[in-house]
Structures are given as C-alpha cells and as structure tokens.
Amino acid sequence: MSVSTPLQDEAQQQLTAGDVPAYMQALGKAARSAASELRRADTGIKNRALESIAQQLMTARARILDANAQDMQRGKENGLDSALLDRLALDDARFDAMIEGLRQVAALPDPVGEIDDMSYRPSGIQVGKMRVPLGVIGIIYESRPNVTLEAASLCLKSGNACILRGGSEASASNQAIGECITQGLLNVGLPANCVQVVATTDRAAVGALISMPDYVDVIIPRGGKSLIERISRDATVPVIKHLDGVCHVYIDTTADPAKALAIAVNAKTHRYGTCNTMETLLVDAPVADLLLPELARAYAGHEVELRGCERTQALLPQALAASEEDWYAEYLAPVLAIKIVDGVEEAIAHIERYGSHHTDAIVTQDYSLARRFMAEVDSSSVIVNASTRFADGFEYGLGAEIGISTDKLHARGPVGLEGLTTRKYVVFGDGQVRQ
C-alpha cells in the first residue's frame, strides 16, 4: 500500500483547492528533496527499483490497457487525428516493448559516478571529470503513454528525479502507469517523489513547470511543433528540444535498387506518426525513371498520397503538385513529398534549406559519397543505407530515450542515460599547495 509523504500531502491539498501554481510548486519541492536522496542511491537499488516497476506493470497489465482503451475512446470522440491516435494506442506488443525497454535500461551500465579524463598536472595533482545527475527534470509530452515509463526509467537510472506532465488525451493511461512506478519505488525503499506524474490536465501546470528554476534543472518537451515552440519561448528553465522531424532519404545513382526500394518504403510506411519517419524522398535524376514507378506502386499499396516536383509528376501522373510548404512539412500521415535532384550537392542543399536537422539518410554504394553526405548534412543522425526509422534510443542501444534532441549544446540525437547527466571536475592531491 502506498504511503504518502508530507510534501505529497501538501501537493494534494493545493490541487484539491484548485491552486495549480501552488500544486506545481509543491511537486517541485518534493522532487528536489527526492533528487537529494536519489543521488545517494547506488546502481543496485536503482536496478531493483526498475525490476520492481516491471513486476508492478505486469500485474497491472489489464488495468493499464483498459485505461488506455478509455483514452482511445475519448480521443476518437474528441476528434483526434489518426497520427495522434496511433501514438496514444497501447496494445500487447507495445506493452511488452515498454517492459523490455525498462529491463534494457536496468541492464545498461550506470553512468553516474564514472570518472574519466584523469591526468597528472605539473603540480602533482590529478584532474578528472565525474559524471553526475542533472537533478530534477521536467518532461512535457503528448499522446504517447509509453513515454511515462521511458522517461521515468531513464531518469531513475541516471539518478534524476522527474516531474512528468503528459497530455490530457492520455491521462488515464499515464495515471495507471504512474501508480505502478510509485509502488515499485516504495517497494525498494526509494522516495515516491522520485517520479511524479502531474495529476491535473489544466494547462496552467505546464506554465508553472517551465518557470520553476529553483526546483527544476531542465525541461524536455516531446510533442508537436506548437507545444515545443511555446515552451522554448516561455521557459525560464533550460530546454532540451527538437521542433519537428522533417526527415529525408536521398537515393543516389549508385544505390542498390532493392535496398533503395526497401529503405524508402520502410522509412515512410513503418509508422506514420513518429518524428523519424521520412517526409521527403530525394531521388537522383539518372535512376528516377527506374525507381519511382516501382516506389509509387509500393506506396499505393499503403495508400500513401504522393506530392512531387514537376519532374516527378512527369513520371508519376498520379502525384499531386508539391508546393513550397510541402518541402517544409512534417506530415505525420500517409503523405510523401518527392523531388528529383541532380546529384548529391543539390540533395544536401535541399536538406539544409528545408530539413529540421533531425535524421537524414543516403542510399549509395559510393563510399566517398557516403562520407561526404555524413560530413555535410548537419543533422542529429545521418544514416547510410538504412531506414530513418532506426533513429531511436531503443535501436541505438540506449534502452529507451527521453527524446531526440536537435539542439547542439549538451545533448544531440536520441537522449539516453548520458544525456541526462553532466560532468564535474574532480581533483586528487597528496598535500599539494599552490605556489
């Protein structure tokens, strides 16, 4: 049975009174207190907590899936689009993947306390860097209830307390998962305040969370462009973010046709509502006649709407004319923009102008060209001869991810355990004094 703390009681009293800013302040105080305790937790207890949470989830599977069904029904009634509904949905396979991700995080090396870059200085002191938690992390996300578990597991393993504010469309799912996390923490003697799921859907909670620098060390938003733009604009707490995922696949003249077809179809159709889904396909002119008709037949089988440049339309009469806005679009839907280009230089220029610096791929058999593409495309992930759908913390061996950062400072690409830590200098001496 869960045991509440004075700080939790304070938060609940503020929420009952309808004072959302005071409620969020109370959560912040509780998180800061928990972060201090969590810094002292060793790897063993953190791993036991993750396994305890996994056991709680398995016991509560039916209850969580039922809560998700309620969210899905409410989402349909409220007119959520298909991409958001896809992100919201939990089934047995996704549920199992959540637990697998949790256990992968438990199996990963704990970065906290690692000391590296040790070197002796002329004075005789040794100087190095120790990896330490960031402290308290606020995470704001839409739709995906699996983010509740991914965020909690990564923050816990990296020694950070977290405050999780999911979207209203997933409130029942998030609360059900949050109850399992709380009980799993209590089972091993860690503070329940290590992971707190915000219990109100009032939008004022977001405004409060992003403006509590005394209690929150960093904000990580996961959601639509408008949400992340708002947080980036209004936050007084540092933000790790990506705005959108306008991802490209460029098929070079030397590409193996079978690989090119498989990659281009998978990158678009594996899932539509994810930030690493291809939104624009670039095809080198000499192979467009060969590949585009075959690709169009494959996309037709998935009911993907095609929008193309004039040269694409000449080959594919069924393609609609692509506007300037299409090249910037993150569709998150079965819609694909296609452009025929004259070589890698034009492809790179297109990506630089219209891309979002998230994930871009090249299909080629030319090693030198692949190296050029990797060097010149300024994205958080650059992929050679594989689908953009691999740009994911789970696929990169991080166990899970808390988001994919297109920032260049602190963390870039999928943010896993190391991205949730920082480093401080440590110095070892033997009585030295500075002369």
Side-chain angles (χ1 to χ4, degrees):
M1 182 171 61
S2 298
V3 179
S4 64
T5 67
L7 288 172
Q8 286 177 312
D9 291 340
E10 177 188 346
Q12 185 56 50
Q13 289 167 10
Q14 300 293 355
L15 183 59
T16 301
D19 190 340
V20 174
Y23 165 68
M24 295 304 295
Q25 288 279 320
L27 293 188
K29 290 178 188 176
R32 182 63 75 199
S33 174
S36 295
E37 292 191 51
L38 196 51
R39 275 198 300 271
R40 297 192 293 270
D42 62 25
T43 302
I45 194 169
K46 290 187 288 187
N47 286 344
R48 288 196 298 275
L50 293 172
E51 180 55 37
S52 179
I53 293 167
Q55 293 295 331
Q56 292 295 316
L57 286 165
M58 289 188 292
T59 300
R61 177 191 289 260
R63 178 163 56 87
I64 294 170
L65 292 178
D66 181 65
N68 184 251
Q70 295 174 35
D71 286 333
M72 288 290 290
Q73 181 60 37
R74 187 168 58 252
K76 291 172 184 175
E77 292 170 357
N78 292 337
L80 285 186
D81 63 36
S82 58
L84 284 176
L85 287 172
D86 177 61
R87 293 181 178 196
L88 176 58
L90 283 180
D91 55 20
D92 283 324
R94 290 187 184 180
F95 194 94
D96 291 340
M98 287 198 308
I99 294 175
E100 173 62 21
L102 190 68
R103 286 178 167 152
Q104 282 199 11
V105 171
L108 290 171
D110 187 348
V112 177
E114 288 182 354
I115 299 176
D116 55 19
D117 294 343
M118 291 294 297
S119 62
Y120 279 99
R121 304 300 302 147
S123 63
I125 64 172
Q126 275 186 288
V127 180
K129 294 179 182 178
M130 175 185 284
R131 196 164 285 282
V132 295
L134 292 172
V136 176
I137 300 175
I139 300 160
I140 301 163
Y141 52 103
E142 296 174 339
S143 299
R144 298 177 183 167
N146 60 301
V147 172
T148 303
L149 187 64
E150 290 179 357
S153 65
L154 287 167
C155 288
L156 180 61
K157 184 65 179 269
S158 58
N160 295 286
C162 61
I163 301 172
L164 309 179
R165 202 288 186 178
S168 59
E169 66 281 354
S171 58
S173 305
N174 291 337
Q175 291 301 319
I177 293 170
E179 290 169 10
C180 294
I181 295 169
T182 296
Q183 194 59 54
L185 291 167
L186 292 170
N187 287 347
V188 300
L190 285 175
N193 300 335
C194 289
V195 179
Q196 298 178 96
V197 178
V198 175
T200 176
T201 59
D202 192 317
R203 292 187 177 183
V206 174
L209 183 59
I210 65 177
S211 56
M212 301 195 303
D214 288 345
Y215 301 121
V216 180
D217 294 291
V218 67
I219 294 289
I220 300 177
R222 293 185 63 169
K225 188 173 183 177
S226 60
L227 168 72
I228 296 172
E229 285 179 334
R230 177 218 165 172
I231 290 169
S232 301
R233 181 183 66 245
D234 298 342
T236 58
V237 176
V239 179
I240 298 174
K241 65 184 183 299
H242 81 260
L243 288 177
D244 48 9
V246 183
C247 302
H248 300 77
V249 172
Y250 166 57
I251 301 177
D252 167 55
T253 299
T254 68
D256 179 290
K259 291 178 183 177
L261 289 167
I263 290 167
V265 172
N266 178 265
K268 182 63 210 179
T269 66
H270 183 253
R271 282 185 69 186
Y272 297 115
T274 58
C275 60
N276 57 14
T277 296
M278 173 183 65
E279 304 291 18
T280 298
L281 174 65
L282 305 174
V283 182
D284 207 358
V287 292
D289 289 0
L290 171 68
L291 292 179
L292 280 181
E294 287 194 57
L295 280 167
R297 284 191 287 273
Y299 290 133
H302 292 276
E303 299 183 345
V304 174
E305 176 185 302
L306 304 180
R307 302 179 186 179
C309 65
E310 289 184 5
R311 289 200 284 179
T312 298
Q313 285 188 290
L315 287 174
L316 306 176
Q318 70 271 41
L320 303 176
S323 67
E324 181 74 1
E325 289 72 27
D326 282 305
W327 307 125
Y328 289 106
E330 182 183 27
Y331 298 114
L332 300 174
V335 181
L336 176 66
I338 303 175
K339 183 177 179 64
I340 296 174
V341 296
D342 294 312
V344 70
E345 189 165 328
E346 185 179 347
I348 293 171
H350 182 98
I351 293 168
E352 178 64 25
R353 177 174 178 180
Y354 297 105
S356 61
H357 307 289
H358 189 295
T359 301
D360 298 290
I362 183 173
V363 188
T364 183
Q365 297 296 95
D366 185 330
Y367 176 79
S368 296
L369 199 68
R371 293 284 298 179
R372 178 182 176 186
F373 190 87
M374 285 192 289
E376 296 184 23
V377 172
D378 186 23
S379 297
S380 68
S381 287
V382 181
I383 295 176
V384 177
N385 292 333
S387 171
T388 58
R389 287 284 291 131
F390 283 106
D392 172 87
F394 186 88
E395 295 292 343
Y396 283 7
L398 306 181
E401 69 185 37
I402 209 156
I404 295 180
S405 170
T406 53
D407 287 339
K408 294 187 179 181
L409 297 181
H410 180 68
R412 195 179 193 194
V415 180
L417 293 177
E418 284 198 0
L420 299 180
T421 62
T422 185
R423 298 202 295 177
K424 64 183 179 184
Y425 281 97
V426 292
V427 178
F428 294 90
D430 187 27
Q432 288 88 347
V433 294
R434 187 166 179 177
Q435 302 300 319

